[in-house]
Amino acid sequence: MRKNSIKNTRINGEVQKALSEIIRADLKDPRIHPMTSVVLAQVTPDLKFCKAYISVLGSEEQAQETIRGLRSAEGYIRTQLAKKVNLRITPDVSFVLDQSIEYGVRMSKLIDDVTKDLPSDVEEEDREDSEEDR
């Protein structure tokens, strides 16, 4: 099975949904933040390993605690994954903190800060140009 095959893509999606459900409903570890989501799950073509990218809506400390809690529950998560997803081999899951959402929010804020200092003449010219096009 190739890495980007339809079958592998489908398996990645199913594993991602199952991991999200397990983290949301089954885990009772107080270290795991309630606003935790599985952004992406990448299962290797041989189905032996899975890398799950986790996003936590909270502080950096809460994110690190969530990753520690997930890593300590890897065995339980793998057992539950085997029950929810019918695969020949249940992959070993490793959790990676994904900060791309936070990075995007920070970049948007920086762009907004820069553009608020621009003169409003540019905005008025844009409006006049769009009125002339009509």
Side-chain angles (χ1 to χ4, degrees), residues 64-125:
Q64 293 301 327
E65 281 298 310
T66 298
I67 293 296
R68 281 190 210 103
L70 290 172
R71 287 185 178 149
S72 70
E74 279 178 355
Y76 176 77
I77 292 171
R78 186 170 185 227
T79 303
Q80 294 302 312
L81 185 64
K83 292 177 183 176
K84 291 183 185 286
V85 180
N86 187 16
L87 291 174
R88 198 169 9 125
I89 302 169
T90 303
D92 288 328
V93 182
S94 62
F95 296 100
V96 179
L97 184 61
D98 181 37
Q99 298 175 330
S100 61
I101 295 172
E102 295 157 6
Y103 178 77
V105 169
R106 191 168 52 101
M107 285 296 130
S108 292
K109 185 177 182 294
L110 290 173
I111 290 170
D112 290 343
D113 289 346
V114 169
T115 56
K116 75 175 183 182
D117 295 336
L118 290 176
S120 61
D121 296 341
V122 174
E123 294 172 6
E124 290 174 9
E125 289 176 9

Side-chain angles (χ1 to χ4, degrees), residues 32-63:
I32 298 174
H33 195 270
M35 294 298 289
T36 300
S37 61
V38 179
V39 178
L40 178 68
Q42 290 182 327
V43 180
T44 57
D46 62 359
L47 303 178
K48 290 189 179 187
F49 301 101
C50 173
K51 192 180 287 188
Y53 293 91
I54 305 296
S55 177
V56 179
L57 188 63
S59 68
E60 181 67 28
E61 183 180 320
Q62 290 171 330

